């Protein structure tokens, strides 16, 4: 089952015509370039078509940018400035949307304080 949701990728740096430039979170960089050494969030930048951005949470300069997972799974391209030095290279975005299905978690335990085992450090135990 595929669920529709948006994926946060980093802070919007600028919006120009139909392009958005995003200062990427380090976790997003590691998905785009597996094995690349960790860098501080915001060092790497991604330029992409504004149509990939969330319609529920449109991009705004200075705010977190959300991308549509469904659009990412279609494997669009964007431009990645990995080192933050202005040298952009093409990159495929499908890896940002794959393996992102939310995990369904069962109900929380209903154990009460009275049902818990006593600590070996308690005075009464």
């Amino acid at each position: 089952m595929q669920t529709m949701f948006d994926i946060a990728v980093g802070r919007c740096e600028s919006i120009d015509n139909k392009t958005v430039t995003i200062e990427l979170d380090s976790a997003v960089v590691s998905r785009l370039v597996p094995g690349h050494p960790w860098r501080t969030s915001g060092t790497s930048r991604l330029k992409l078509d504004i149509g990939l951005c969330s319609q529920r949470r449109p991009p705004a300069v200075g705010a977190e940018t959300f991308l549509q997972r469904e659009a990412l799974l279609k494997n669009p391209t964007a431009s990645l400035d990995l080192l933050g030095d202005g040298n952009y290279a093409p990159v495929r975005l499908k890896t940002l949307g794959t393996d992102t299905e939310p995990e369904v978690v069962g109900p929380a335990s209903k154990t009460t304080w009275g049902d818990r085992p006593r600590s070996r450090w308690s005075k009464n135990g």
Side-chain angles (χ1 to χ4, degrees), residues 34-109:
H36 185 72
W38 183 86
R39 300 188 70 81
T40 304
S41 289
T43 301
S44 302
R45 289 175 171 70
L46 187 68
K47 285 186 182 181
L48 51 82
D49 185 285
I50 198 167
L52 298 173
C53 294
S54 170
Q55 294 174 356
R56 292 180 296 252
R57 301 176 195 139
V61 174
E64 185 70 26
T65 306
F66 293 86
L67 305 180
Q68 298 175 56
R69 178 176 178 260
E70 298 76 30
L72 295 175
L73 293 175
K74 294 178 182 174
N75 206 18
T77 58
S79 297
L80 175 65
D81 175 4
L82 184 61
L83 303 177
D85 58 5
N87 293 317
Y88 285 86
V91 64
R92 292 284 185 174
L93 299 179
K94 187 173 185 176
T95 58
L96 297 180
T98 56
D99 298 325
T100 55
E101 276 293 322
E103 185 176 329
V104 177
V105 180
S109 172

